[in-house]
């Protein structure tokens, strides 16, 4: 038991049916149906291998993409093929989550076999909408279709999805109410490492918040500033475009149209309110970059052409951020500074990432895109700690008890003897 949660050391697995929730949510190339990165799949291989090697019938539950905000649900089929390659073991897959076909397949599993179910978010109860509009208690989550249909087929529940530990959803918090529960090896490593760093973060403590996950970024920023965790927040990506717009600074009509099209206009007001309270700690770009005729262009905000779409921070901003990072004692990073996947718009992310690799401070990076950028620049070995979670990491850092941690602590009290 660590932090009140059972580890796999305490589980007896042979012949048991284990529901294992993983977070293998990866960027998908929708044109080819392939995964652009496989780091999260690789990260949960040790847990899956251990469960299978110890003779469990392994049923993997996972989400891919998100619903309301990002509208990018996708099947988990490509993940099964990747997993099979990494594990060097067959991984079965079914285009069902908890219907009769999935249940039959689970019942037919033999010891050591692995089955990946389709995207759990295809089941409406699992949608992230819950968090905003219809928050179910963990007891209520235990009564959802997903849990009621799958839990009776299983002996144990294992959660290895630290990256989704901030999500309050049935596949993450419902099973712990009815099944003896454990954290997987990845969850254990991530939760324990980050807990230790956070016990006494050295100051100054800087947060680098970029990317396009706006709801998360704003919630995190608010909390880490309000609770005094962050001494400074460096902004990039869509986050900084929204902040600049909130201050009436030029970001280009294309950027404003993008914000409106993505239904993020309400965040301009939220950014204004946050900036009014914490402006001295929030650092915004002084220049921005865009692409014109296939080439990178940059300008200081005051010189910015009216119609552009900003796709990266400018080089003066990147250098200023690098200096702040160099002097920081602890840096938490979530989200890139721009569209780093393209050569014309990677400079901001690349400069900031190189500064992270070079700072004597302790760096903690989280989130799929942050990890992808780290791999792209071959800096994995130079970072302090790389966490598969973005939102989960920052939510944890803000001092909140993560819903999944709470649920796993509850599930640690369900005796294995109660197993069917
Ligand atoms: C993540 O990508 O941060 C996790 O997989 C959680 O995904 P979500 O933000 O769509 O809930």
């Amino acid at each position: 038991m660590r932090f009140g949660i059972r580890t796999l050391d305490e589980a007896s697995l042979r012949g048991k049916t284990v529901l294992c929730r993983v977070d293998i949510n990866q960027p998908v190339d929708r044109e080819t149906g392939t995964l652009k990165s496989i780091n999260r799949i690789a990260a949960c291989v040790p847990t899956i291998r251990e469960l299978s090697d110890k003779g469990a019938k392994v049923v993997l539950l996972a989400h891919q993409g998100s619903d309301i905000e990002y509208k990018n649900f996708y099947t988990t089929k490509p993940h099964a093929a990747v997993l099979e390659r990494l594990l060097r073991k067959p991984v079965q897959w079914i285009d069902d989550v908890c219907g009769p076909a999935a249940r039959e397949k689970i019942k037919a599993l033999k010891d050591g076999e692995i089955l990946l179910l389709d995207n759990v978010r295809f089941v409406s109860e699992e949608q992230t909408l819950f968090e905003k509009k219809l928050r179910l208690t963990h007891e209520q989550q235990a009564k959802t279709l997903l849990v009621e249909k799958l839990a009776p087929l299983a002996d144990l529940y294992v959660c290895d999805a630290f990256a989704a530990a901030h999500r309050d959803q049935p596949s993450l918090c419902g099973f712990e109410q009815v099944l003896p529960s454990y954290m997987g090896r990845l969850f254990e490593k991530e939760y324990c490492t980050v807990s230790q760093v956070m016990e006494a973060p050295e100051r100054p403590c800087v947060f680098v918040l970029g990317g396009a996950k706006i709801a998360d970024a704003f919630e995190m920023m608010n909390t880490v500033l309000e609770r005094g965790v962050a001494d400074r927040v460096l902004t990039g990506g869509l986050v900084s475009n929204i902040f600049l717009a909130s201050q009436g600074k030029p970001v280009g009509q294309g950027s404003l149209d993008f914000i409106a099209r993505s239904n993020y206009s309400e965040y301009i007001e939220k950014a204004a309110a946050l900036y009014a309270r914490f402006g001295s700690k929030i650092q915004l770009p002084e220049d921005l970059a865009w692409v014109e005729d296939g080439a990178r262009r940059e300008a200081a905000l005051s010189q910015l052409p009216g119609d552009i779409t900003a796709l990266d921070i400018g080089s003066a901003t990147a250098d200023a951020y690098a200096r702040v990072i160099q002097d920081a004692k602890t840096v938490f990073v979530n989200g890139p500074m721009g569209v780093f996947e393209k050569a014309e718009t990677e400079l901001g992310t690349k400069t900031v990432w190189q500064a992270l690799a070079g700072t004597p401070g302790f760096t903690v990076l989280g989130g799929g895109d942050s990890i992808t950028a780290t791999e792209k620049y071959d800096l994995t070995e130079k970072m302090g700690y790389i966490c598969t979670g973005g939102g989960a990491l920052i939510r944890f850092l803000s001092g909140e008890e993560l819903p999944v941690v709470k649920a796993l602590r509850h599930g640690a009290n369900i005796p294995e003897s109660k197993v069917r």
Side-chain angles (χ1 to χ4, degrees):
M1 195 90 91
R2 294 183 84 181
F3 295 94
I5 303 173
R6 284 196 193 113
T7 71
L8 287 185
D9 294 329
E10 296 153 75
S12 90
L13 295 163
R14 185 151 307 280
K16 303 278 175 61
T17 301
V18 176
L19 293 179
C20 178
R21 175 62 158 99
V22 288
D23 188 332
I24 50 176
N25 188 22
Q26 303 274 201
V28 175
D29 180 335
R30 285 172 164 260
E31 277 171 28
T32 59
T34 54
L35 305 178
K36 293 196 212 162
S37 159
I38 58 164
N39 49 53
R40 281 183 172 165
I41 304 182
C44 63
V45 160
T47 296
I48 300 169
R49 191 191 301 287
E50 181 173 345
L51 295 174
S52 165
D53 285 354
K54 288 185 173 170
K57 299 161 188 165
V58 188
V59 182
L60 300 172
L61 295 138
H63 71 278
Q64 175 58 55
S66 166
D67 47 3
I68 308 307
E69 206 176 353
Y70 313 113
K71 300 179 184 62
N72 63 351
F73 278 146
Y74 202 71
T75 172
T76 59
K77 190 171 185 189
H79 307 62
V82 173
L83 203 48
E84 188 161 274
R85 180 160 55 76
L86 296 177
L87 281 164
R88 296 205 199 94
K89 276 190 180 197
V91 173
Q92 302 174 44
W93 177 83
I94 186 161
D95 57 345
D96 188 15
V97 180
C98 60
R103 300 203 301 273
E104 282 315 309
K105 196 106 177 138
I106 293 172
K107 284 187 213 155
L109 283 176
K110 299 196 177 59
D111 294 1
E113 287 187 346
I114 303 163
L115 166 68
L116 172 62
L117 301 173
D118 211 342
N119 188 348
V120 284
R121 289 185 179 171
F122 287 159
V123 178
S124 66
E125 293 167 323
E126 189 70 12
Q127 296 194 10
T128 48
L129 178 68
F130 270 174
E131 290 202 27
K132 289 184 192 149
K133 303 264 160 59
L134 180 63
R135 205 180 268 270
L136 296 187
T137 64
H138 290 178
E139 294 72 29
Q140 287 168 328
Q141 290 180 28
K143 296 199 166 52
T144 54
L145 184 83
L146 182 78
V147 180
E148 290 208 320
K149 292 291 179 194
L150 296 188
L153 306 180
D155 300 296
L156 309 175
Y157 174 78
V158 172
C159 186
D160 211 24
F162 181 75
H166 58 312
R167 298 296 182 212
D168 214 338
Q169 296 165 350
S171 74
L172 290 154
C173 303
F175 290 105
E176 292 94 324
Q177 313 309 309
V178 291
L179 289 174
S181 304
Y182 302 78
M183 57 182 165
R185 296 301 182 195
L186 176 64
F187 197 111
E188 183 181 349
K189 185 172 93 186
E190 308 229 274
Y191 186 56
C192 296
T193 307
V194 179
S195 298
Q196 278 151 14
V197 179
M198 270 319 278
E199 262 171 32
E202 276 201 78
R203 294 194 180 262
C205 180
V206 172
F207 278 68
V208 181
L209 293 181
K213 285 199 162 186
I214 296 306
D216 269 356
F218 272 72
E219 197 173 328
M220 294 161 202
M221 199 185 300
N222 188 39
T223 330
V224 294
L225 286 167
E226 199 150 66
R227 298 191 184 189
V229 182
D231 297 309
R232 180 154 287 269
V233 177
L234 307 177
T235 59
L238 193 52
V239 177
S240 57
N241 287 354
I242 291 176
F243 266 92
L244 289 170
S246 82
Q247 298 308 300
K249 308 252 187 198
V251 285
Q253 192 56 43
S255 310
L256 292 175
D257 291 346
F258 183 80
I259 293 168
R261 247 194 345 268
S262 317
N263 290 326
Y264 287 141
S265 300
E266 62 174 299
Y267 284 96
I268 295 182
E269 247 172 66
K270 291 185 183 167
L274 258 178
Y275 202 79
R277 291 180 67 200
F278 301 110
S280 62
K281 292 186 171 178
I282 301 172
Q283 195 159 337
L284 305 181
E286 56 196 88
D287 57 351
L288 291 171
W290 68 99
V291 176
E292 204 175 292
D293 300 328
R296 179 184 177 93
R297 308 259 188 251
E298 298 194 358
L301 294 183
S302 56
Q303 314 285 318
L304 211 66
D307 55 346
I308 61 112
T309 304
L311 298 174
D312 191 14
I313 56 173
S315 44
T317 306
D319 290 343
Y321 286 6
R323 287 193 292 276
V324 174
I325 290 166
Q326 179 63 26
D327 293 339
K329 291 277 174 13
T330 312
V331 192
F332 291 101
V333 187
N334 187 43
M337 298 290 100
V339 183
F340 69 94
E341 294 89 346
K342 300 225 161 93
E344 306 82 33
T345 46
E346 69 167 345
L347 182 140
T349 305
K350 194 170 181 181
T351 306
V352 166
W353 256 241
Q354 279 164 346
L356 292 166
T359 180
F362 191 74
T363 50
V364 182
L365 283 88
D369 287 338
S370 304
I371 299 173
T372 307
T374 309
E375 286 170 350
K376 179 173 182 190
Y377 304 125
D378 202 13
L379 298 172
T380 306
E381 301 305 318
K382 302 217 165 94
M383 300 302 184
Y385 184 69
I386 295 179
C387 181
T388 58
L393 172 69
I394 305 284
R395 198 79 66 90
F396 175 71
L397 299 179
S398 65
E400 280 175 50
E401 186 182 37
L402 296 167
V404 176
V405 169
K406 182 174 174 208
L408 281 170
R409 287 188 175 135
H410 184 277
N413 296 319
I414 301 182
E416 273 203 48
S417 54
K418 266 189 82 182
V419 170
R420 72 190 161 89

